[in-house]
Amino acid sequence: MKEIRIFLGLLVAYTAAVHGNMSFDDFSGWTEESEPVKENWIARLYEDKLKNYNKDARPVKNPSHNTTVYLGLYLSSLDVDDLKQQMTVNAWSIMSWTDEHLNWEPKNYMNINRVHFDQTDVWTPDIAVFNSADSTGVVPFVKVPVITDYIGRTYWFPPTHITVNCELDISEWPSDQHECLVRMGSWSHHGQQIDIQIIKHNETTDVMMSNYEPNNNWKLLNVKATREVLTLEEGNEKYVEINFSFKVKRLAKSHATYITTTALVVMIVVLLTYALPLNSFYSRLIMHLFALAILIGCYLTMFSSLPNNGGPVPFVVRYYSGTTILTLISLVSTLFLTTHACCDSTPSSNVGKKFVGILSSAPGLRTVTTAEQSYNPLEVELDLEDGPRPDADPSVTTEKGFPANQVRRVINFLMLVLFLIAFFVDYFVLRSVMK
């Protein structure tokens, strides 16, 4: 009785939406008290209707007439496996058609106006999933009764487990969206035999979702059904199929936060190295190696999370690849500045002198030398490239040009500006993708 009430509830929801002329009062005869009274009459009705019934033939009296099957889904749950690139749908398939052999006069059977038949005793449409990824489809894994009323309107609500292949484009992972298709239709009948139409529910949606259980990993953005008629080249026979399109979005706010936070940390660590003194060789080296270690850790984490397929490379992977290259370039550049392999301290032209002079006048680039200034061996060694000048003030311009330390400060400032622009552009592009 519990199963019967469940399917009767589905029947009420469907008929109220499609026919609009039925209510729960129509099922008042289905009570435990009234069943024993009608038991013999139901048995007689079964015997009369199934005596010469052929369940393998379409339920029409004239073979030239087609059978119209209304098809829809009552969605229960949905999941996407991005490793296998498959979508799984759990639902009730809602089917309705008219069986011309299963009609009777209620007054001849104690006013019985609807009964249920075993699905193995009557005809059911051979609806199949054309793009199924396994052997499952609309065929139920348990026996489901077929409900029929006295004018032959028949309803069937088999529980359905559907798995279809779905090509996933993960270029915008973890904020990616996908659209997967479920193609359903008659396996062996063309449109002149079985005409499949879409069930309309309240004229707003093609799929009933009042029983849908949201997924924690995927958000269902939209689902719609379209009817498509296909004509084979061999003949004029037209085949009808219903395509259910599911648009889903990955729910990965934690991944997005993890990615954007680590990217910001790497950017800040690399840029802070240019605020250190030029003779801080080991400090700059350690900070760059720390940033590279964060990037490598992100790579390993994404390698375990991303599906291994032949599609386009995700944007986040390309971002971390570019950030790694920028960090390596920054490492090489800052090591070049803090070692003896620095460029010549003398500008080669008056234009170069003026350019260095303008940049060196910027705040933070002036070299202040006092009597208490600490001894810097790197500056002395660079100054000694033009000869020993122990009494020279490195902040004073000579006839040959600017001191090497001042040139290095200018180059350090230029590198800070260039890497600041590069990192921030990449970071803000990443944030726009992670929304």
Side-chain angles (χ1 to χ4, degrees):
M1 280 302 300
K2 185 177 180 181
E3 284 187 354
I4 294 176
R5 289 197 182 95
I6 293 176
F7 289 110
L8 288 177
L10 291 173
L11 177 60
V12 170
Y14 167 74
T15 51
V18 177
H19 302 288
N21 58 355
M22 299 182 69
S23 64
F24 281 101
D25 295 335
D26 295 330
F27 297 92
S28 58
W30 285 86
T31 60
E32 295 182 358
E33 292 78 5
S34 60
E35 280 184 3
V37 178
K38 296 185 178 182
E39 182 177 358
N40 294 335
W41 290 99
I42 292 176
R44 180 180 299 179
L45 178 59
Y46 286 160
E47 182 179 358
D48 293 344
K49 295 289 102 179
L50 299 178
K51 182 183 300 182
N52 298 318
Y53 190 91
N54 186 358
K55 64 180 181 181
D56 297 324
R58 287 190 304 113
V60 291
K61 296 179 179 179
N62 187 346
S64 62
H65 294 169
N66 68 352
T67 301
T68 300
V69 177
Y70 294 92
L71 177 63
L73 290 178
Y74 193 180
L75 193 60
S76 175
S77 63
L78 179 146
D79 192 24
V80 177
D81 188 339
D82 49 5
L83 295 178
K84 296 181 179 180
Q85 297 202 49
Q86 293 179 348
M87 180 186 69
T88 301
V89 175
N90 292 310
W92 286 283
S93 293
I94 304 176
M95 303 183 201
S96 174
W97 66 93
T98 298
D99 193 320
E100 297 181 4
H101 302 303
L102 298 180
N103 53 5
W104 66 89
E105 287 291 340
K107 63 182 180 179
N108 297 332
Y109 296 93
M110 200 178 175
N111 293 326
I112 297 175
N113 52 20
R114 71 178 53 83
V115 294
H116 69 273
F117 295 92
D118 194 286
Q119 68 179 49
T120 60
D121 293 334
V122 298
W123 181 88
T124 55
D126 57 338
I127 303 297
V129 180
F130 294 150
N131 59 334
S132 177
D134 52 25
S135 59
T136 59
V138 299
V139 178
F141 41 84
V142 294
K143 287 187 177 182
V144 178
V146 177
I147 302 175
T148 305
D149 63 15
Y150 68 96
I151 61 175
R153 288 184 306 191
T154 307
Y155 309 94
W156 193 34
F157 310 107
T160 303
H161 178 81
I162 302 174
T163 301
V164 296
N165 293 319
C166 184
E167 185 176 354
L168 305 181
D169 181 3
I170 60 171
S171 57
E172 295 185 359
W173 183 93
S175 301
D176 46 334
Q177 299 182 13
H178 308 284
E179 189 168 355
C180 301
L181 196 67
V182 176
R183 301 172 52 205
M184 301 175 66
S186 175
W187 186 257
S188 59
H189 295 86
H190 53 75
Q192 284 73 28
Q193 296 173 332
I194 294 182
D195 181 23
I196 305 177
Q197 299 289 338
I198 303 173
I199 285 181
K200 293 296 183 180
H201 178 58
N202 294 335
E203 300 298 331
T204 57
T205 180
D206 307 314
V207 178
M208 301 181 187
M209 299 184 58
S210 59
N211 196 45
Y212 177 69
E213 298 179 2
N215 190 295
N216 292 329
N217 298 322
W218 296 92
K219 180 181 179 181
L220 181 60
L221 300 178
N222 184 28
V223 55
K224 62 180 180 179
T226 56
R227 181 177 181 269
E228 186 173 354
V229 180
L230 306 176
T231 303
L232 299 182
E233 296 180 358
E234 292 78 4
N236 297 325
E237 296 178 347
K238 298 182 179 180
Y239 290 83
V240 182
E241 68 177 44
I242 304 299
N243 297 330
F244 294 94
S245 176
F246 296 85
K247 188 175 183 180
V248 296
K249 176 181 174 61
R250 190 191 303 271
L251 296 177
K253 291 184 178 180
S254 58
H255 287 75
T257 303
Y258 157 76
I259 291 171
T260 54
T261 302
T262 52
L264 184 62
V265 170
V266 169
M267 181 180 67
I268 293 176
V269 169
V270 174
L271 294 178
L272 281 178
T273 60
Y274 292 95
L276 297 176
L278 291 175
N279 60 345
S280 302
F281 173 81
Y282 291 106
S283 298
R284 292 195 175 200
L285 176 63
I286 292 174
M287 293 179 70
H288 276 85
L289 293 179
F290 174 72
L292 288 174
I294 295 178
L295 292 174
I296 294 175
C298 292
Y299 264 124
L300 295 176
T301 303
M302 286 187 294
F303 178 77
S304 61
S305 302
L306 287 171
N308 185 17
N309 54 28
V313 179
F315 175 81
V316 64
V317 175
R318 289 185 278 127
Y319 169 82
Y320 275 104
S321 299
T323 304
T324 303
I325 295 175
L326 284 176
T327 305
L328 288 175
I329 295 175
S330 176
L331 174 61
V332 174
S333 301
T334 192
L335 293 182
F336 181 74
L337 284 175
T338 55
T339 57
H340 298 302
C342 184
C343 56
D344 190 5
S345 63
T346 304
S348 58
S349 64
N350 292 330
V351 177
K353 292 179 180 180
K354 293 181 180 179
F355 179 70
V356 173
I358 293 173
L359 291 178
S360 62
S361 64
L365 294 180
R366 298 188 182 92
T367 304
V368 180
T369 305
T370 61
E372 295 80 16
Q373 185 176 3
S374 60
Y375 176 74
N376 190 339
L378 289 176
E379 294 181 0
V380 173
E381 290 177 0
L382 290 172
D383 289 338
L384 290 178
E385 291 179 0
D386 294 330
R389 300 167 54 196
D391 57 339
D393 186 351
S395 64
V396 179
T397 304
T398 64
E399 294 180 357
K400 291 185 178 181
F402 293 96
N405 188 48
Q406 194 69 19
V407 175
R408 294 193 311 168
R409 288 176 178 272
V410 172
I411 296 176
N412 185 75
F413 178 75
L414 291 176
M415 291 174 57
L416 172 63
V417 173
L418 291 176
F419 283 109
L420 181 66
I421 295 174
F423 277 119
F424 267 97
V425 169
D426 282 352
Y427 178 75
F428 283 113
V429 173
L430 178 67
R431 285 295 301 267
S432 65
V433 176
M434 292 297 105
K435 290 182 179 180

